[in-house]
Amino acid sequence: MKIKIALAQLDIKFGDPDKNFAQIEPNVQKAATQNADIIVFPEMWNTGYDLTRLDKVADKEGQRTQTLLAELAKKYQITIHGGSVSTEKNGAFYNTTYIYAPDGKLMTTYDKVHLFGLMHEDEYLASGVEEDHFEIKGIHATSVICYDIRFPEWLRTLSLDDSRILFVPAEWPTSRIPQWRRLLAARAIENQSFVVAVNRVGSDPDNPFGGHSGIYNPMGDEILTLDDQPQLKVFTIDTKETDDARGFMPVFEDRRPELYR
């Protein structure tokens, strides 16, 4: 199955939801004019890592984000992977993904499971506990958020549901871009899956962010990589490559889960 994917690499305005929300429709519209099947946004695009002011800037119950993404998905007849946004739910703050189908219906939601201490997430955010699974054109897919990719056991757990595409929205600092690219390639190889990763660009008061959003095939080849500037890029993948990789080397069949812990 061929799937046309749009990567929306944004410069996120620190702690300014209004300016950040204004960036979403132009990118969705541009992706739709290029006949993309799905558009993917970066992590925490509504506020950036303005964690100390989450009580003022986080999306209450995710309502503003959900309303916008539902309307745009239906208006432009496109699947929207909403990257992630800061949300306030049930008295706590989360780093939350919303994914909408072209009919405007919510397909899945995911709260970031692994919180990144170096950027103080663990001090301000609550962690999620649920897996994320959805389909695009009948193809099983899953997604995580940024720091989650450093936990291969979590991504393998998600991939056991016959997932063929792993989506990774992120705010990955420039200083660690080489690790970003190696980790994404490794996750693609070990799960014999496409990896679609969308990082932000620009900077906040603490870090510059290096972009280099990209797509990796099931052999770990970097088949698309962007630079460090805001942009939208559309690229077509063929998920038959996952069948070819898994047929050639049946890693999933050769697992010994009774030995793992």
Side-chain angles (χ1 to χ4, degrees):
M1 175 64 69
K2 291 185 177 180
I3 299 176
K4 205 168 188 179
I5 302 172
L7 283 63
Q9 186 168 271
L10 306 181
D11 183 350
I12 297 166
K13 310 306 178 187
F14 185 74
D16 195 334
D18 289 342
K19 287 185 178 178
N20 291 320
F21 272 90
Q23 298 190 80
I24 302 305
E25 183 166 7
N27 278 278
V28 174
Q29 182 180 38
K30 186 175 180 180
T33 61
Q34 297 183 55
N35 298 312
D37 296 301
I38 183 170
I39 182 171
V40 190
F41 288 98
E43 178 187 17
M44 294 275 277
W45 59 258
N46 63 331
T47 61
Y49 270 80
D50 191 2
L51 299 180
T52 62
R53 296 197 314 128
L54 286 175
D55 60 328
K56 297 180 178 63
V57 298
D59 192 355
K60 303 295 190 284
E61 304 298 329
Q63 285 303 307
R64 183 176 184 182
T65 303
Q66 294 184 70
T67 298
L68 177 67
L69 298 186
E71 290 176 352
L72 295 180
K74 188 173 183 179
K75 177 179 179 179
Y76 293 103
Q77 292 292 290
I78 188 173
T79 299
I80 299 179
H81 186 303
S84 79
V85 292
S86 62
T87 60
E88 182 178 357
K89 301 182 292 185
N90 302 317
F93 298 106
Y94 293 86
N95 187 340
T96 304
T97 293
Y98 298 107
I99 302 175
Y100 278 85
D103 61 2
K105 293 182 179 178
L106 179 66
M107 289 195 289
T108 184
T109 182
Y110 172 77
D111 293 319
K112 189 174 185 179
V113 168
H114 300 95
L115 300 180
F116 189 43
L118 288 180
M119 290 177 71
H120 308 293
E121 278 189 314
D122 57 331
E123 298 176 27
Y124 297 96
L125 299 174
S127 59
V129 296
E130 301 291 338
E131 299 181 9
D132 182 36
H133 298 285
F134 64 102
E135 291 186 8
I136 169 106
K137 297 178 72 173
I139 299 298
H140 289 270
T142 187
S143 64
V144 294
I145 300 173
C146 200
Y147 187 49
D148 283 330
I149 66 170
R150 289 186 180 270
F151 299 86
E153 61 272 38
W154 179 234
L155 275 67
R156 173 53 57 84
T157 297
L158 296 171
S159 296
L160 291 174
D161 189 39
D162 195 36
S163 172
R164 304 306 175 99
I165 312 172
L166 169 68
F167 291 90
V168 186
E171 286 208 32
W172 200 280
T174 300
S175 62
R176 293 188 289 279
I177 287 297
Q179 296 164 318
W180 158 255
R181 297 170 77 175
R182 293 187 188 108
L183 286 165
L184 294 170
R187 300 297 85 88
I189 293 168
E190 66 199 12
N191 292 302
Q192 298 175 311
S193 175
F194 282 95
V195 171
V196 177
V198 180
N199 191 26
R200 67 159 295 184
V201 297
S203 62
D204 67 16
D206 297 314
N207 293 287
F209 297 92
H212 283 83
S213 303
I215 299 177
Y216 297 74
N217 70 16
M219 302 302 290
D221 300 317
E222 192 175 44
I223 56 176
L224 173 70
T225 186
L226 307 187
D227 58 20
D228 60 355
Q229 297 301 306
Q231 61 191 284
L232 182 132
K233 182 72 173 180
V234 176
F235 191 86
T236 300
I237 66 170
D238 188 344
T239 58
K240 181 180 180 297
E241 291 185 42
T242 59
D243 296 324
D244 294 341
R246 293 175 185 185
F248 172 72
M249 187 175 295
V251 170
F252 285 83
E253 295 177 19
D254 294 337
R255 294 175 67 248
R256 297 285 307 280
E258 72 275 10
L259 301 179
Y260 308 152
R261 61 175 182 170

